[in-house]
Amino acid sequence: MTIPAQFDAKTIESKWYDYWMKNNYFHSEPDHRTPYTIVIPPPNVTGVLHMGHMLNNTIQDVLIRRARLKGFNACWVPGTDHASIATEAKVVAKLKAEGINKNDLTREEFLKHAWEWTDKYGGTILEQLKKLGASCDWERTKFTMDPDMSASVIKSFVDLYNKGLIYRGYRMVNWDPEAKTTLSDEEVIYEEQQGKLFFLKYKIEGSEDFLTIATTRPETIFGDTAICINPNDERFTHLKGKKAIVPICGRVIPIIEDEYVDVEFGTGCLKVTPAHDMNDKTLGEKHNLEIVDIFNEDATLNSFGLHYQGKDRFVVRTEIAKELEEIGALAKTEIHLNKVGTSERTKAVIEPRLSDQWFLKMEDLVKPAIKSVLETGDIKLHPKRFENTYAHWLNNIRDWNISRQLWWGQQIPAYYYGDGKEDFVVAENIEDALILAKERTNNQQLTTDNLKQDVDALDTWFSSWLWPMSVFGGIMDPESADYKYYYPTNDLVTGPDILFFWVARMIIAGYEYAGEKPFTNVYLTGLVRDKQRRKMSKSLGNSPDPLDLIDAFGADGVRVGLLLSASAGNDIMFDEELCNQGKAFSNKIWNAFKLIKGWEVSETIPQPESSKVAIEWYEAKLQQTLVDIEDNFEKYRISDALMAIYKLVWDDFCSWFLEMIKPAYQQPIDKATFDKAIEMLESNLKLLHPFMPFLTEEIWQLIAERTPEEALIVSTWPELKPFDAKIIADFENSIEVISGIRTIRKDKNIPFKDAIELKGINSENVSTYFDSVVTKLGNVSAFEYVSEKVDGALSFRVKSNEYFIPITGNIDVEAEIKKLTEELNYTKGFLKSVEAKLSNEKFVNGAPEKVLNIEKQKQADALAKIATIEQSLAGLK
């Protein structure tokens, strides 16, 4: 076969991906083999590839390709998530741009638009993953809104409701006024923001006195239904039993007493707004206060806001402060640092709101998830430090608000047959609901027309928490062959930001529905940041397009560049130079392959001793590295595993092994050595394949004609075998000897083509096994061991052994003596200055031990250097 001069990533990537797809290597069906299963963290259906996806999916592909090579029945299930809040927001924005208001559409009309949007933009990210080399089982691709996936979600809801774990409650919830939906507590991000503390004056009814209250939200005075003081606060004893008047709206409200009030905060008086604050709601229930909701769903004020009706809450905050000041009801303002809840999705400031919502009781459900990770270790988090985060979340878990005021998503399967809040039944479909409703009402005249389904959709996470089971049909049919074979899965690779949102909930669902863990290991990647440690974002312009990187550096180069700096759980400082390093590694491997294939092979010449020992050494070195690689994979140190392979290939294979076996210029190589070189190269390719699939398959197929059954992707991972560690250690010593020879050649300008003699005093009795390699790589014409120092020779030491290179006509002896004499005089002067310090009693007594040790080491090094120079001079005279 003709081997191209340059490695062309663009050409070979599409060629080999098409070949893998054509031969169905990625597809898995249950069989006699042990399964190895990964489910992809489903990206948003309309999302596009970013650097976080690149890192996450590269790691998954490394794991799945290695499992395939190790003989497992590898199954990597891809798919996408319907992302209800994000997708609905995009569809609403699209409709708005077309002059269509969502509120003017029926649910069915809106969903038609949503499906059109999904069909148009959905799945792009999965196609992009193919460019990366992702070897997913594309025939198993799932979408969380597929009919069978939605059926699983509905079935789960009905099941949990029938178990008494799902309930409908009127609760204070986190309201996102931009998305116009509730959020779970975990979807609220708290940020410190600088705002103002407004000190408002409330007039005491029937007097000219005022009391002052500090608040960060003056716009909520329209919802005030009481003022609360601490009964133990003597400052306000005179206010007990009295009433106050709310500024502007003039509402008369009671002054109540409760020890909840912090006498140290603000003025010691608290305005109570039960409709818009969780703690105020608790006080309101305790003291039976009126509830006045002043906000519309978009956080504009309603009619209770009087002349501010229709205005946004933040606009009102500014305007009402001016009005309060004008009427003398604003005593002062102060700058105040406050923690504000914001929506994880839209970034809007969350508004506490009272609403009828659906909740899932978590207290008992969470117990197996706590036990499996924190007690028994059945599920392991990598790195382990995330167990603390996991424990904090799960030990403080609250009931999960699973309803969302959205249309895009699985509609809650509750059907109302009357006007009362409790007039509903829960069923998987309207036909079943009708049967239940007839039983509940004892009214056999009811029809489906009398039933109205709950308009809310379920939280997206309520569908994706079933993902490892539902992708194999396990919820709908627990006895399905796929589910029984592939579940539980093996490894999960995801980000720590969704450790609670998704990972913990999947564990909870796994134990609830399957009675066992959904996976064994969770590999938590770090965030990809730029080299200034900033999070990548479009607004900063620091997030490169992954496809542009692949175009510039090749998919293998990008994969290597990302993984070399991606230790589990640690953020990676991404720099395009890393991808360039990956590309350089690709070129190094390609050139090594070209070098080997370029040699003429002779079947008649004998194998040199140097090649024989080189092969034995590299076989041992490969096995030693394989032990490290397996250990790193076992500990989910994927970056360290790659680095071990990188050093093996770059340093040991390319820099040493190939040099050791390379035939002389224009000379052939013996067949035995050539065959072993190909064998070693193939072993390297197997180790590299999970990380660099395209390059390795290309070289593998160029080495020899292969059938589809012999492709590298379905080859076998190198087998661990016993190896001789001594041979590796012995070669390390020989490397130093070779380096010593090379240093003298460089310093004395002795060309490599000029052979030299080498003599050695083997006082340490080191192995002579690699002397043939030393002879070859040093271009040594004669190498012998002697018992006495050699006169008229240049020398160097390796540990206690001394080596001599007799002087030939290539060296100017007089110039060398002059150079060594100058170096000797300089070193003696340096030694004198060091010894002066050490003989100074004041310095010795006052210097820290560390400084003293450094000076003593300088003295020892100088004495050793003087002895070596004097010895070299003696040999030259």
Side-chain angles (χ1 to χ4, degrees):
M1 293 181 213
T2 304
I3 301 171
Q6 302 292 325
F7 172 62
D8 182 6
K10 289 179 187 175
T11 304
I12 69 114
E13 283 169 7
S14 57
K15 176 177 79 174
W16 290 118
Y17 203 89
D18 290 346
Y19 178 82
W20 294 329
M21 290 287 284
K22 176 186 170 186
N23 286 284
N24 221 19
Y25 295 126
F26 304 162
H27 184 56
S28 172
E29 289 290 341
D31 62 21
H32 63 281
R33 292 173 293 168
T34 303
Y36 174 84
T37 316
I38 294 179
V39 291
I40 200 172
N44 288 3
V45 64
T46 58
V48 292
L49 200 64
H50 60 59
M51 295 305 292
H53 293 132
M54 291 278 281
L55 172 63
N56 183 289
N57 286 283
T58 296
I59 292 168
Q60 290 177 80
D61 197 45
V62 167
L63 294 173
I64 210 78
R65 286 181 181 271
R66 175 171 172 267
R68 207 177 276 124
L69 287 169
K70 288 177 81 74
F72 291 98
N73 188 352
C75 181
W76 181 14
V77 181
T80 50
D81 186 88
H82 64 276
S84 53
I85 295 177
T87 305
E88 181 149 329
K90 286 179 180 177
V91 176
V92 168
K94 170 189 169 287
L95 292 172
K96 189 176 181 181
E98 296 171 359
I100 303 170
N101 189 320
K102 175 193 170 185
N103 297 326
D104 295 334
L105 300 175
T106 64
R107 187 188 200 104
E108 289 68 29
E109 289 169 339
F110 176 81
L111 289 176
K112 187 170 181 285
H113 285 286
W115 276 110
E116 285 173 359
W117 174 273
T118 301
D119 292 340
K120 182 176 181 180
Y121 298 103
T124 298
I125 192 167
L126 298 184
E127 289 303 310
Q128 291 175 325
L129 284 178
K130 293 177 182 178
K131 300 286 186 187
L132 183 65
S135 57
C136 301
D137 186 346
W138 299 110
E139 292 179 38
R140 292 184 176 274
T141 303
K142 302 301 288 186
F143 174 44
T144 51
M145 286 277 281
D146 284 344
D148 61 322
M149 300 293 280
S150 287
S152 297
V153 175
I154 299 305
K155 186 180 180 72
S156 168
F157 183 98
V158 174
D159 173 68
L160 293 167
Y161 177 80
N162 290 335
K163 289 174 179 173
L165 294 172
I166 286 179
Y167 64 93
R168 187 162 170 78
Y170 188 62
R171 300 283 188 276
M172 181 73 72
V173 294
N174 305 301
W175 183 260
D176 181 338
E178 189 170 318
K180 299 184 180 62
T181 183
T182 58
L183 300 177
S184 66
D185 293 335
E186 295 74 34
E187 292 169 295
V188 179
I189 309 298
Y190 287 91
E191 300 172 350
E192 279 202 338
Q193 294 183 2
Q194 185 171 289
K196 290 181 179 179
L197 197 59
F198 300 83
F199 289 78
L200 311 184
K201 293 162 69 177
Y202 288 66
K203 191 175 181 181
I204 308 301
E205 187 185 38
S207 78
E208 295 301 312
D209 293 338
F210 290 87
L211 59 83
T212 306
I213 294 173
T215 180
T216 57
R217 306 188 64 197
E219 70 277 10
T220 62
I221 61 172
F222 298 113
D224 290 353
T225 55
I227 285 170
C228 191
I229 58 175
N230 191 310
N232 304 314
D233 193 338
E234 295 179 359
R235 294 174 296 173
F236 303 116
T237 305
H238 64 291
L239 297 178
K240 292 183 179 183
K242 295 190 177 181
K243 294 184 178 181
I245 302 170
V246 180
I248 300 178
C249 71
R251 183 184 301 125
V252 178
I253 56 175
I255 297 174
I256 61 173
E257 301 172 58
D258 199 290
E259 291 185 352
Y260 165 76
V261 179
D262 182 356
V263 296
E264 301 294 329
F265 180 76
T267 64
C269 292
L270 179 75
K271 65 190 278 299
V272 185
T273 318
H276 301 293
D277 182 274
M278 183 68 73
N279 297 316
D280 287 10
K281 176 179 177 286
T282 304
L283 274 175
E285 289 172 347
K286 184 176 178 180
H287 296 275
N288 200 27
L289 298 177
E290 182 185 1
I291 294 173
V292 179
D293 185 348
I294 67 167
F295 288 123
N296 297 313
E297 63 176 12
D298 61 354
T300 57
L301 273 69
N302 59 24
S303 60
F304 284 110
L306 304 179
H307 47 286
Y308 293 106
Q309 182 177 358
K311 290 188 176 182
D312 181 77
R313 55 189 164 159
F314 297 120
V315 173
V316 175
R317 184 173 301 176
T318 302
E319 293 182 359
I320 202 170
K322 290 179 184 175
E323 183 177 354
L324 288 165
E325 189 173 17
E326 288 168 0
I327 65 174
L330 179 62
K332 63 175 179 174
T333 61
E334 293 178 355
I335 297 299
H336 179 67
L337 199 62
N338 195 25
K339 273 202 169 181
V340 177
T342 60
S343 167
E344 185 214 16
R345 291 287 182 193
T346 66
K347 312 304 177 191
V349 173
I350 293 302
E351 194 61 56
R353 192 181 195 202
L354 283 166
S355 177
D356 283 310
Q357 301 291 335
W358 294 89
F359 295 87
L360 175 61
K361 295 177 183 176
M362 301 301 291
E363 186 179 357
D364 292 327
L365 281 176
V366 78
K367 289 175 183 175
I370 293 172
K371 184 179 179 182
S372 63
V373 174
L374 305 174
E375 296 174 21
T376 64
D378 289 341
I379 298 174
K380 294 177 175 61
L381 305 185
H382 306 274
K384 189 177 173 63
R385 69 172 186 271
F386 283 107
E387 286 182 9
N388 294 331
T389 308
Y390 184 89
H392 174 74
W393 277 334
L394 267 62
N395 287 324
N396 294 280
I397 202 165
R398 295 165 65 181
D399 287 356
W400 177 8
N401 173 9
I402 57 174
S403 48
R404 297 290 178 269
Q405 287 60 59
L406 301 165
W407 284 349
W408 179 243
Q410 286 88 13
Q411 190 172 356
I412 290 174
Y415 298 85
Y416 294 85
Y417 52 79
D419 297 327
K421 284 188 177 183
E422 301 302 318
D423 294 345
F424 67 84
V425 292
V426 170
E428 291 182 41
N429 52 61
I430 196 166
E431 290 76 22
D432 290 349
L434 181 61
I435 295 169
L436 292 173
K438 285 179 178 179
E439 290 175 3
R440 179 79 60 85
T441 61
N442 204 23
N443 177 2
Q444 297 303 310
Q445 305 308 311
L446 283 178
T447 67
T448 53
D449 291 338
N450 302 124
L451 300 183
K452 183 182 177 185
Q453 189 171 353
D454 195 301
V455 295
D456 289 351
L458 284 158
D459 181 6
T460 302
W461 297 110
F462 192 80
S463 62
S464 55
W465 79 321
L466 303 174
W467 185 251
M469 294 177 284
S470 57
V471 295
F472 297 116
I475 299 296
M476 299 307 292
D477 180 12
E479 295 302 312
S480 75
D482 276 2
Y483 180 59
K484 293 179 81 171
Y485 181 76
Y486 292 112
Y487 188 90
T489 67
N490 296 77
D491 297 326
L492 178 76
V493 182
T494 189
D497 52 328
I498 54 173
L499 179 57
F500 181 81
F501 285 131
W502 191 48
V503 179
R505 286 171 175 163
M506 282 191 290
I507 296 171
I508 292 167
Y511 282 106
E512 175 63 18
Y513 285 106
E516 60 181 324
K517 61 188 178 184
F519 30 71
T520 300
N521 295 287
V522 180
Y523 180 106
L524 297 158
T525 65
L527 287 173
V528 183
R529 298 182 180 274
D530 67 14
K531 53 189 174 183
Q532 298 175 45
R533 305 190 72 86
R534 298 176 304 176
K535 189 174 179 180
M536 288 190 167
S537 68
K538 287 181 183 176
S539 59
L540 288 174
N542 64 346
S543 182
D545 184 329
L547 297 184
D548 289 345
L549 292 176
I550 290 173
D551 194 50
F553 303 105
D556 293 328
V558 176
R559 287 165 69 115
V560 169
L562 273 170
L563 287 178
L564 279 177
S565 57
S567 54
N570 295 323
D571 290 353
I572 74 166
M573 306 305 119
F574 180 75
D575 186 343
E576 284 194 14
E577 184 52 38
L578 291 167
C579 296
N580 205 27
Q581 185 180 348
K583 183 178 181 180
F585 188 40
S586 297
N587 290 332
K588 184 79 170 177
I589 299 163
W590 183 257
N591 290 334
F593 162 63
K594 268 182 30 185
L595 175 69
I596 297 170
K597 289 293 277 186
W599 291 334
E600 181 189 342
V601 182
S602 169
E603 297 198 18
T604 58
I605 61 174
Q607 183 180 47
E609 179 65 19
S610 57
S611 294
K612 178 176 171 292
V613 299
I615 291 164
E616 288 184 25
W617 166 76
Y618 191 74
E619 285 179 327
K621 189 68 182 177
L622 187 143
Q623 284 298 322
Q624 183 191 55
T625 306
L626 187 55
V627 170
D628 290 341
I629 293 166
E630 297 289 12
D631 181 60
N632 285 321
F633 269 110
E634 187 72 25
K635 294 170 181 171
Y636 290 82
R637 296 200 299 246
I638 313 297
S639 176
D640 292 346
L642 173 58
M643 183 53 76
I645 300 169
Y646 185 97
K647 288 178 177 176
L648 174 76
V649 173
W650 191 294
D651 297 339
D652 300 318
F653 186 75
C654 296
S655 300
W656 286 109
F657 178 68
L658 293 184
E659 290 298 312
M660 289 153 76
I661 66 167
K662 185 168 68 175
Y665 181 63
Q666 291 189 335
Q667 296 299 308
I669 187 172
D670 66 282
K671 189 171 188 308
T673 301
F674 178 81
D675 289 347
K676 272 293 181 180
I678 292 293
E679 183 185 322
M680 295 301 99
L681 174 62
E682 289 183 338
S683 293
N684 292 344
L685 294 176
K686 290 175 182 180
L687 294 176
L688 284 164
H689 179 73
F691 300 93
M692 308 175 79
F694 296 110
L695 168 75
T696 52
E697 189 73 75
E698 171 77 355
I699 294 175
W700 180 267
Q701 300 281 354
L702 284 171
I703 288 172
E705 291 281 356
R706 316 268 190 182
T707 66
E709 292 74 30
E710 295 170 329
L712 177 56
I713 189 175
V714 288
S715 182
T716 53
W717 186 256
E719 184 184 345
L720 275 172
K721 298 173 184 174
F723 66 93
D724 184 357
K726 185 177 182 299
I727 200 173
I728 298 171
D730 288 345
F731 184 61
E732 292 303 312
N733 188 77
S734 298
I735 286 175
E736 292 189 50
V737 176
I738 294 164
S739 298
I741 295 171
R742 288 173 173 173
T743 300
I744 285 181
R745 279 187 177 278
K746 183 183 175 186
D747 290 350
K748 312 311 176 196
N749 294 317
I750 306 172
F752 183 77
K753 65 182 176 60
D754 296 346
I756 59 170
E757 291 181 34
L758 182 67
K759 301 178 187 295
I761 299 175
N762 194 358
S763 56
E764 281 202 354
N765 197 30
V766 298
S767 169
T768 59
Y769 190 68
F770 288 97
D771 285 0
S772 60
V773 173
V774 172
T775 299
K776 178 176 181 177
L777 297 187
N779 193 12
V780 174
S781 57
F783 183 7
E784 64 174 322
Y785 288 95
V786 296
S787 56
E788 299 291 333
K789 292 180 180 179
V790 179
D791 293 332
L794 300 169
S795 65
F796 63 91
R797 284 179 175 273
V798 175
K799 296 173 184 165
S800 297
N801 283 3
E802 200 165 355
Y803 296 88
F804 305 91
I805 299 174
I807 293 172
T808 65
N810 292 322
I811 297 175
D812 184 338
V813 175
E814 292 302 318
E816 187 64 26
I817 290 173
K818 183 183 177 185
K819 180 182 173 185
L820 288 171
T821 303
E822 288 174 355
E823 192 175 354
L824 177 64
N825 292 335
Y826 172 81
T827 308
K828 283 182 175 179
F830 176 75
L831 176 64
K832 191 174 179 181
S833 68
V834 173
E835 287 179 334
K837 268 188 186 180
L838 292 172
S839 62
N840 184 328
E841 195 175 329
K842 188 176 179 183
F843 171 76
V844 172
N845 292 334
E849 186 180 351
K850 186 178 179 181
V851 172
L852 208 56
N853 288 337
I854 290 171
E855 294 302 317
K856 287 178 180 178
Q857 187 60 50
K858 286 180 184 176
Q859 181 187 38
D861 290 345
L863 286 167
K865 190 172 183 181
I866 288 168
T868 302
I869 296 171
E870 288 177 337
Q871 184 183 311
S872 296
L873 280 169
L876 290 169
K877 291 176 181 176

